[in-house]
Amino acid sequence: MIDEWIRQVPAEHCDCGQTHRAALPEWLTGRQITARFLERLSQFDTSHIWLMADPDTYAAAGRHLEQAIRDRHMPISCFIFQGRRPEASEHTVAAARLGVPDDMSLLLAVGSGTINDIAKVIAAETNVPFFVYATAPSMDGYTSATSSLLIDGRKISLATKAADLVAADTDVLAAAPMEAIQSGVGDVVAKAVSLAEWQMASVITGEHYCPHIAGLVEHALETVLASAPRLLDREPDAVEALFAGLLVSGLAMNLAGHSRPASGMEHYISHLWDMRAAALGTSADTHGRQCGVGTLLALDLIERTCRLQPTAERADAHLDRFVLAAWHDELKTLLGPAALPLIEAETSEQKYDPDKVRNRAGRIIRNWPKITDILQSVITRREAIAAALSAVHAPLTVGELTVSEPETEKVLLATRDIRDKYITTRLLFDTGETDSIHAG
Ligand SMILES: [Zn+2]
Ligand SMILES: [Zn+2]
């Protein structure tokens, strides 16, 4: 299934005008993959395999793999984080770094999000072959070359190293906690918003857009929406479909060379909840569960956006009233010191530059029917998305997440400052329609 989808993106002469020749990690999925996994492993330097896991992922797959590797007479040592659910931070990376054997020939990460984020840092530093053995269908970052780390209380994205091979045994994935499955569904339904905003941005800012890569993620989304009702019972083919959806979303980002195909405003909502949790010293919910709720919030906002009829007068009047310094103060109140990188980014991005705002507003007004067509197509999926989340008992509202003091309206407003990516809240700013955020 995955190979067939990937082949639909032409490596050369794509009609989007680009080539998509990114070297992709290998993947090995399905049931009873251990023999094939060991076979592939044995083709690398196995003089000292170093396995990294946490107590849960070691129990889920690590122990079995360690034994299978020993049975093949390949030298292996294990590093298992103390304490359950470690966080990817400067502390856990430092702890792992101290454990790295001098003669490590291959790094084998057994786990999901956190273990991978840490392992990718070690892989980048040591530059040895790097294998990932996934234990949960919880997020789409298995093939990515970036790590999300908490450093000094701030979530940062660090360029690291992508795995050479990602393996996932369906039976291991199916035994993951239901919360991990909910997260995976949330991370995939998010793509409905990501894709619509990517296409919308191409109309407004002229950003490059590839229909084939978008189509790839579209397949992932459709497949997961269709299989969600069978995930609560952990039916193997449904779990396999969810993992395929996540893997393909990740590969789409590898092919595009950026996160556009798989992350939009709904992801920024989740990032902001993470940042607020770090600033307030509270704990955030999982990435995917937050993305699921973020998707529904984004869809509500997109629906209100479609009902607007933007005019140059309203856009101008709003721009005249807007005071950047006051807005930056609001960001500081919302996020504490974590607001500073967002504020600094404006120096280079200049997204609030009045001439640029007016320019984009003009383009939006001229292309309004086209833009609303794009956005309407995603609104029609709201029911299917909510049904998929409900099917796995994932949260649908902010109140069901563990985020405290969610400040939903301010979080929605602040999404436009997370990165220089054109999303719905930036369209609302450019057209002077930010009040739509308060309407819901
Ligand atoms: Zn995600
Ligand atoms: Zn293309």
Side-chain angles (χ1 to χ4, degrees):
M1 177 161 62
I2 301 170
D3 306 65
E4 204 179 298
W5 290 353
I6 297 290
R7 273 197 294 274
Q8 291 175 15
V9 179
E12 308 283 339
H13 311 298
C14 182
D15 28 277
C16 75
Q18 289 196 350
T19 54
H20 305 298
R21 272 177 298 199
L24 299 177
E26 266 181 66
W27 54 89
L28 176 58
T29 59
R31 301 182 89 171
Q32 292 167 343
I33 59 165
T34 309
R36 277 180 289 154
F37 180 75
L38 293 174
E39 189 53 42
R40 195 69 190 99
L41 194 62
S42 68
Q43 289 156 4
F44 285 75
D45 179 357
T46 55
S47 55
H48 189 162
I49 298 167
W50 194 56
L51 184 155
M52 183 194 288
D54 69 31
D56 291 327
T57 62
Y58 184 72
R63 185 179 294 119
H64 160 77
L65 276 179
E66 183 192 2
Q67 193 52 52
I69 290 168
R70 283 193 199 288
D71 290 347
R72 281 265 192 137
H73 308 293
M74 295 189 258
I76 179 168
S77 60
C78 297
F79 180 88
I80 298 156
F81 284 96
Q82 300 301 309
R84 304 179 72 181
R85 298 190 178 223
E87 192 157 30
S89 70
E90 71 261 58
H91 307 295
T92 43
V93 167
R97 214 178 259 140
L98 288 173
V100 177
D102 291 340
D103 60 347
M104 171 175 69
S105 66
L106 186 143
L107 172 59
L108 169 56
V110 180
S112 58
T114 305
I115 290 293
N116 274 286
D117 280 331
I118 299 168
K120 278 186 258 188
V121 179
I122 304 294
E125 286 172 357
T126 56
N127 207 27
V128 294
F130 172 36
F131 280 30
V132 169
Y133 200 94
T135 54
S138 54
M139 51 102 209
D140 66 11
Y142 284 110
T143 59
S144 91
T146 53
S147 287
S148 171
L149 294 176
L150 194 65
I151 292 184
D152 241 352
R154 290 187 202 174
K155 273 253 172 182
I156 63 140
S157 216
L158 193 70
T160 47
K161 187 188 167 182
D164 295 292
L165 181 136
V166 176
D169 185 301
T170 307
D171 295 318
V172 171
L173 298 178
M178 190 44 67
E179 194 184 68
I181 293 174
Q182 294 167 349
S183 300
V185 173
D187 206 8
V188 174
V189 297
K191 309 323 180 206
V193 175
S194 325
L195 289 176
E197 287 186 326
W198 186 18
Q199 198 179 2
M200 171 190 87
S202 73
V203 175
I204 300 169
T205 67
E207 179 182 332
H208 170 262
Y209 170 80
C210 175
H212 294 285
I213 293 176
L216 199 61
V217 180
E218 187 63 41
H219 277 314
L221 175 61
E222 280 302 326
T223 306
V224 172
L225 289 177
S227 59
R230 288 172 293 112
L231 280 170
L232 199 63
D233 291 334
R234 302 165 184 276
E235 289 185 28
D237 68 316
V239 172
E240 215 166 296
L242 174 58
F243 192 77
L246 291 163
L247 194 69
V248 163
S249 301
L251 292 169
M253 290 190 273
N254 291 51
L255 285 169
H258 50 72
S259 66
R260 256 300 186 189
S263 153
M265 177 186 168
E266 76 300 328
H267 267 69
Y268 290 180
I269 295 173
S270 173
H271 291 339
L272 282 159
W273 283 330
D274 286 343
M275 289 162 83
R276 272 186 56 81
L280 297 168
T282 57
S283 62
D285 210 304
T286 68
H287 170 77
R289 281 163 47 100
Q290 290 184 170
C291 283
V293 174
T295 300
L296 296 178
L297 286 173
L299 289 174
D300 290 344
L301 189 62
I302 288 173
E303 188 167 9
R304 293 200 290 280
T305 303
C306 282
R307 290 201 292 265
L308 299 171
Q309 201 48 259
T311 64
E313 292 70 31
R314 273 181 73 82
D316 276 339
H318 172 261
L319 196 54
D320 289 343
R321 286 196 309 271
F322 179 71
V323 181
L324 185 59
W327 167 241
H328 283 166
D329 284 342
E330 281 191 54
L331 281 179
K332 283 183 215 159
T333 311
L334 184 70
L335 302 170
L340 295 177
L342 275 56
I343 292 168
E344 280 159 21
E346 174 58 14
T347 318
S348 57
E349 290 169 3
Q350 305 273 303
K351 53 183 171 283
Y352 292 109
D353 178 284
D355 288 337
K356 291 186 181 171
V357 173
R358 263 185 220 106
N359 224 310
R360 288 191 300 260
R363 269 211 241 185
I364 293 166
I365 292 163
R366 284 194 300 279
N367 290 289
W368 192 241
K370 198 169 173 182
I371 292 167
T372 46
D373 272 356
I374 295 167
L375 296 179
Q376 283 291 355
S377 69
V378 66
I379 297 168
T380 57
R381 310 180 104 159
R382 193 188 194 286
E383 215 171 304
I385 288 169
L389 291 169
S390 300
V392 291
H393 300 172
L396 301 177
T397 61
V398 182
E400 294 164 75
L401 293 168
T402 63
V403 290
S404 53
E405 292 186 76
E407 290 278 13
T408 307
E409 284 186 7
K410 290 211 177 97
V411 162
L412 288 178
L413 278 171
T415 53
R416 65 178 194 237
D417 286 83
I418 291 285
R419 297 207 217 310
D420 192 12
K421 199 187 262 186
Y422 204 85
I423 57 173
T424 309
T425 41
R426 289 200 48 194
L427 175 147
L428 291 173
F429 179 87
D430 287 346
T431 52
E433 301 283 0
T434 12
D435 286 348
S436 308
I437 287 173
H438 308 297

